[in-house]
Amino acid sequence: MSIFENFDANTIETPKSDFELMPPANYPVRVLECEETETRNGDPGVKVTLEVTDGDYQNRKIWDRMWIKHSSDKFRAREQARFASFCKAAGVVTPQSTEEFLGLELVAKVKVEKSRDPQYEDQNRAQDYFASTAAVTPSPAPSAAKPKRAGSGD
């Protein structure tokens, strides 16, 4: 007897993918993970995992990396500004440890980042951060024809 006997995938409802793109909007989030990381070249940064706390996309995860130091002055300035925005939104303006951010709530301005590599699909990225008292743009209702996002989210 085959394990596939009487199995018909058409008769089973499949859950919505966790990797469907969220529309660009401001989302209330909580910092689930925050840790130090580095580039292949050894430039240090911070990797965060955020979770949407309300709305149609509640419990969805957003991943972000911000590079605190970098060999490129232009890139370093942009990334330090993003990290400063993250720190101010979280209320931790002189961080001493990544653990200080755990569990804090803030608002992430999420965008859709177009993939530059055809083997990967577009993905959501946090573009900016605001204090949780900032206005949250209501997220549009999920549409049935949303593109899927591939990969681990990093």
Side-chain angles (χ1 to χ4, degrees):
M1 176 187 225
S2 168
I3 65 168
F4 302 114
E5 188 173 327
N6 297 323
F7 181 84
D8 180 355
N10 291 321
T11 64
I12 300 170
E13 186 175 330
T14 54
K16 182 171 71 168
S17 169
D18 284 343
F19 295 111
E20 290 181 4
L21 289 171
M22 297 186 303
N26 294 341
Y27 294 94
V29 297
R30 177 181 304 112
V31 180
L32 294 182
E33 298 174 1
C34 186
E35 59 187 41
E36 292 183 23
T37 189
E38 61 182 39
T39 65
R40 287 181 222 149
N41 296 332
D43 295 323
V46 174
K47 178 171 67 171
V48 297
T49 301
L50 308 166
E51 181 178 59
V52 177
T53 58
D54 194 22
D56 292 332
Y57 295 94
Q58 185 171 358
N59 299 323
R60 287 287 306 275
K61 307 265 187 311
I62 303 166
W63 294 270
D64 197 7
R65 293 174 191 233
M66 294 165 276
W67 305 105
I68 312 306
K69 298 181 182 176
H70 196 273
S71 54
S72 164
D73 292 340
K74 184 177 179 180
F75 185 81
R76 181 178 55 249
R78 185 185 73 217
E79 289 296 296
Q80 284 183 350
R82 280 183 5 93
F83 185 61
S85 176
F86 175 78
C87 291
K88 290 174 184 176
V92 181
V93 294
T94 56
Q96 302 301 307
S97 165
T98 56
E99 292 178 8
E100 295 176 68
F101 296 100
L102 298 178
L104 298 180
E105 296 191 357
L106 52 146
V107 175
K109 179 179 182 180
V110 175
K111 68 176 183 172
V112 174
E113 184 174 82
K114 298 289 184 188
S115 176
R116 291 177 278 179
D117 186 334
Q119 91 179 38
Y120 298 109
E121 295 186 30
D122 299 346
Q123 57 187 308
N124 287 122
R125 287 284 185 214
Q127 181 176 5
D128 201 359
Y129 296 96
F130 310 97
S132 62
T133 57
V136 175
T137 304
S139 59
S143 69
K146 273 192 205 169
K148 301 284 183 188
R149 179 180 164 243
S152 67
D154 284 336

